[in-house]
Amino acid sequence: MSTPFFIRGLPRRFGPLALVLCLATFLALPAAHADDHGETVRTLKQTFFAGDVETLELDLTFGDIVVEGSLRRSVRVEVVVTCNDELTESECRRYADRLALRARTKRDRLDLGLRGTPRARIQGLRAEMRIQMPRRLGLEIDQRAGSATVRDVAGDIEIDGGSLDVEVSRTQSKTSMVAIDLAVGDGVLHTADGAKQDLSGFPRSLRWRGDGESKIEIDLAGGQVTVRLT
């Protein structure tokens, strides 16, 4: 499993983009509207043809990631930036205007993230990254804080980070192994037969083996983890 970001010494280096951009980047600043997390102040969208990509990497300093596997042959990205009343409108716009999607490839890997994120978490500012990706691809997530939800991804899933709420669900027949490690926090594995397995020990850990071909590995400093195999 990859080394967690907080002990990684050097940044990854990627070559030029090898993917064909299917849709031009669309950066919109719509009229602000309210949702459960505040007002939406910016939306960033981009779509890539997956081509020979085997693994998708996602990097997000803070916020929420929602990933869904599908039968599509492209990777569709949407980032929704919201602010609540802990920030003034001008402060919110200033932070939101700095954000931009980043995409790099190296051989069979596509790395997606955000440029211009604050070095420290800003109270009142939230970014949600929503991804639709080919189900066959592997997925790697590096995330400092927030939440990560992954559904119907058949390839290897690796999630490293700080304090996160994580939920992963997929077919049990596709899964060879589940490994969860938390420095602090709690987690649970639900299997297709209705059984439930909790993390144990300190640091908190869980291991499960199946007959599939793809693994699920989650290594966090803290948080809450739920894995559902159906």
Side-chain angles (χ1 to χ4, degrees):
M1 190 168 185
S2 61
T3 304
F5 75 93
F6 41 81
I7 60 173
R8 191 171 292 151
L10 295 174
R12 297 186 182 90
R13 298 186 180 276
F14 292 85
L17 279 174
L19 301 181
V20 177
L21 184 61
C22 293
L23 299 178
T25 303
F26 175 66
L27 304 180
L29 271 78
H33 63 277
D35 63 15
D36 292 341
H37 304 284
E39 293 187 339
T40 299
V41 295
R42 195 172 190 194
T43 302
L44 299 86
K45 296 182 180 180
Q46 199 162 345
T47 301
F48 301 92
F49 177 64
D52 295 328
V53 169
E54 296 294 335
T55 302
L56 175 65
E57 297 183 19
L58 302 178
D59 296 294
L60 192 64
T61 303
F62 63 90
D64 303 313
I65 293 177
V66 179
V67 181
E68 293 190 12
S70 72
L71 297 178
R72 68 171 56 250
R73 299 181 64 187
S74 59
V75 176
R76 179 179 295 177
V77 187
E78 180 181 56
V79 179
V80 178
V81 183
T82 59
C83 292
N84 63 27
D85 56 11
E86 295 182 72
L87 288 175
T88 66
E89 183 176 353
S90 61
E91 288 174 329
C92 178
R93 294 286 184 182
R94 184 170 70 252
Y95 287 121
D97 287 348
R98 295 173 182 170
L99 299 177
L101 282 170
R102 168 183 54 77
R104 295 176 291 187
T105 59
K106 184 177 181 181
R107 294 186 295 275
D108 59 354
R109 306 173 74 85
L110 169 63
D111 176 22
L112 297 176
L114 281 179
R115 291 196 305 267
T117 56
R119 293 186 178 181
R121 185 169 186 174
I122 304 298
Q123 294 297 322
L125 178 68
R126 175 178 177 270
E128 181 180 77
M129 180 181 286
R130 304 169 183 168
I131 306 286
Q132 287 185 324
M133 59 179 282
R135 188 174 297 157
R136 64 174 179 82
L137 299 185
L139 174 67
E140 296 181 7
I141 296 177
D142 280 331
Q143 190 175 358
R144 185 175 301 173
S147 68
T149 302
V150 181
R151 306 185 189 98
D152 297 326
V153 173
D156 289 341
I157 298 172
E158 298 185 17
I159 302 176
D160 295 327
S163 180
L164 299 178
D165 290 332
V166 174
E167 183 170 345
V168 177
S169 58
R170 79 163 174 206
T171 304
Q172 180 167 309
S173 62
K174 301 288 186 182
T175 307
S176 62
M177 179 186 69
V178 176
I180 304 173
D181 293 286
L182 297 177
V184 293
D186 209 351
V188 61
L189 167 68
H190 298 273
T191 51
D193 59 1
K196 175 184 173 183
Q197 183 178 342
D198 296 309
L199 271 69
S200 62
F202 184 82
R204 311 286 281 163
S205 65
L206 178 152
R207 296 292 185 273
W208 177 91
R209 293 193 177 276
D211 298 324
E213 298 179 351
S214 301
K215 62 187 179 181
I216 298 173
E217 294 184 291
I218 301 170
D219 189 357
L220 306 177
Q224 178 73 37
V225 176
T226 301
V227 176
R228 301 182 187 276
L229 303 178
T230 59

